[in-house]
Amino acid sequence: MAYDTNNIFARILRGEIPCKKVYEDEFSLAFHDINPQAPTHVLVIPKGEYVSMADFTAEAPAELVAGFFRAVGKVAEELELVEPGYRILANAGTNAHQEVPHLHIHIFGGKPLGPMLVR
Ligand code: AMP
C-alpha cells in the first residue's frame, strides 16, 4: 500500500495538527489518543513514511527500528505503567480495522484490562 502523505499522523508529525504530546525523540513521537479506550491510551509513531509493521520492519533503517521500539518502552516507563502492567497493540490492514495508515503502536493502561478480546 502506498503511503498517504496527508494521513492524520503525517500531519501531526509535520505540526499541521496539534496533539497532546507525551514523548518525542529523533525517531518517534508519542501522544494521547483522541478517543481513549483506557484511562491511559497513548499512540507511538515512527518518524518516517511507513503504513504498517510489515512495511516498517522490511524498509526502515535498523537505527529507526531500534529507536522506535526503545521509545515504546520508554513511554511505558515514563507513564509508570511497567509495574501495574499495560498492553500494546498495532492494527494492520482491513481485518484489523486499521483506521490511520501510518504505523502506530497503541499503549493501554491505568486499570486492569481483562483478557484480550478476539471476536
Ligand atoms: P487504528 O484503528 O489502530 O488505526 O487507530 C487509530 C487511532 O487513532 C484511534 O484510536 C483514534 O482514536 C486515533 N486518532 C485519530 N485521530 C487522532 C488525532 N488527531 N489525535 C490522536 N489520536 C487520533
Side-chain angles (χ1 to χ4, degrees):
M1 183 188 189
Y3 184 81
D4 168 15
T5 55
N6 277 323
N7 78 75
I8 194 120
F9 294 168
R11 299 185 67 200
I12 286 174
L13 276 177
R14 289 198 295 268
E16 295 168 7
I17 291 178
C19 70
K20 279 176 67 185
K21 180 160 71 174
V22 299
Y23 178 81
E24 182 170 19
D25 63 24
E26 64 184 296
F27 304 112
S28 59
L29 174 69
F31 51 90
H32 289 281
D33 196 291
I34 207 167
N35 182 23
Q37 304 296 311
T40 301
H41 183 177
V42 166
L43 304 171
V44 189
I45 65 176
K47 291 186 174 178
E49 299 187 348
Y50 304 100
V51 175
S52 68
M53 188 66 76
D55 186 18
F56 182 65
T57 52
E59 304 294 337
E63 198 187 28
L64 178 56
V65 175
F68 175 63
F69 282 101
R70 285 208 173 92
V72 174
K74 219 175 278 183
V75 169
E77 185 89 48
E78 286 186 3
L79 295 175
E80 300 184 340
L81 297 174
V82 175
E83 197 278 319
Y86 61 100
R87 178 171 293 150
I88 64 174
L89 178 151
N91 293 316
T94 308
N95 278 3
H97 204 271
Q98 181 179 6
E99 288 177 0
V100 180
H102 180 114
L103 172 62
H104 49 285
I105 286 187
H106 297 256
I107 301 179
F108 302 101
K111 69 166 191 181
L113 296 167
M116 194 161 69
L117 293 179
V118 180
R119 281 187 285 155

